Amino acid sequence: MLSRRKMLQGLAASTGAAFGVSLTPERLLASSTTTTTPKRIVFFMQNQGFDPKTCIPAGMKHSGSLANAKLPEPISALEPYKERLHIINGLHGLHTSPSHSAFFGALGGYRGSDGVPPSASTIDYELSKALPQTLLPHLCIGMDSIENMKSKPTIATLSASGAGSPIFMHSNPNHLYQMLYGGISSGDIRLQHEARSSVLSQVEMLAAAKGQSLPAEDGRRYGQYVQGFRDVNGLRDRLDTVADHLRKFAPKVDERYAAPEFETDWHDRLLDLGISALTSGITNTLTIGSGRGEIFGAWKGLGIDQQGHNLGHMEQPDNPIWIKIRQYNSRMLVRIMEKLESVPEGSGTMMDNTLIVYTSNNADKQHTNGANWPVMLLGNLDGAFKSGCFTQLDGKRPINALYTSLLRAAGQNVDRFNMDDKMAKKFDDSNGPLKEVLA
């Protein structure tokens, strides 16, 4: 904990200027000595839908405790963590029109479609602003086939900072490592980091100059593009100032970064980097897109030859392929929990102040109307959420109500998220957060 405070003390002045606010060291990484409890949230979005039969214990039809229930095979890895688990069934996302995917609508709680820009910010971004400030408030990582991750190392389909402002997911662990830890790396990664940094700085200057002659609307879009380079360059500079601290958390680089045998090698490396960003205090909000919010995805490393859209046309319950995928997801969730549990924070651990939200960007299945949107919560965010239970809802409240609950737990006094009165009259029979999930 002392090492984190030293890092914070060295960061406060320079980072405060970068964010345009007066930041104390404690606000930057939420030290346990402050009156504000440090909190963090992880979203894990699996594509192709989340069939409720793959997570609800057999015979459970009504809300109740999970203490004496046996978890289904696809999520059996979570059995030792049932007291931290809350399974929710009966939320809906009818208004998102998901079909193959709700894309930005899954985390935005609004209509989404392939190739359609976001109409508002998404819940993960809003939470990253509400939680105690960090160097990189929001990190998104996306997992896909090795071919897709190499050809499109960044993609934006799930998260947004506002209307028409998508947030990119990082899918190449080499690039993400360079961004987070390039300043403390050695060998090829260090050389690539320095070369990449030089190129980005030059592009920023060139882009800024070229944009001055563009028409107003094009200039605005170009300005967003230039700002993206400034943000990346500014983040790199800030991370370089805390290199000594980051060395304690940076994952070890092995051959699977440069030469993965399967896409799951990169999936695992990306997860390691996401976890390290949480434990080091770089970020407070992590979004993981398995399938990257689209209809593709591959898991050859699990012995699964089928990939892409065809997986969505398979029934998930009792399907050996989907059991493998869901078990892989569950082991990833366990890795996150175990790592956060190993880091002391306040009178407990980082996991005590964390909530993991696991669901799909496509409700319950492929080609769905979104009438049922199962969700699993892990952890309780410093006691804010109920755990160790199953909640069956009546299908009359939207996913937006859950997102409102998350914002309430983060200290925001809101009654709705991305849903005006007109929409609420049609798609929500109540107002405010879900009383069934808050402690």
Side-chain angles (χ1 to χ4, degrees), residues 207-257:
K210 299 270 186 185
Q212 294 174 0
S213 61
L214 291 172
E217 181 60 22
D218 291 337
R220 183 187 66 80
R221 292 183 183 136
Y222 210 80
Q224 293 177 335
Y225 179 69
V226 175
Q227 186 59 44
F229 285 105
R230 288 175 178 158
D231 290 344
V232 170
N233 290 333
L235 173 65
R236 186 184 64 245
D237 292 340
R238 294 193 299 273
L239 291 174
D240 285 347
T241 66
V242 291
D244 289 341
H245 171 80
L246 295 181
R247 283 191 180 90
K248 302 169 186 175
F249 297 91
K252 292 183 179 179
V253 176
D254 58 28
E255 69 281 356
R256 288 172 291 183
Y257 276 86

Side-chain angles (χ1 to χ4, degrees), residues 375-406:
V375 178
M376 294 194 308
L377 305 180
L378 284 158
N380 61 30
L381 203 65
D382 192 30
F385 289 87
K386 298 175 183 177
S387 59
C389 56
F390 165 63
T391 294
Q392 178 62 56
L393 300 171
D394 59 8
K396 296 181 180 179
R397 300 220 64 190
I399 53 176
N400 305 59
L402 174 63
Y403 299 160
T404 298
S405 306
L406 298 177

Side-chain angles (χ1 to χ4, degrees), residues 53-54 73-74 315-323:
K53 292 181 180 178
T54 65
E73 185 179 5
E315 290 292 327
Q316 293 184 15
D318 302 319
N319 184 321
I321 290 176
W322 272 103
I323 288 174

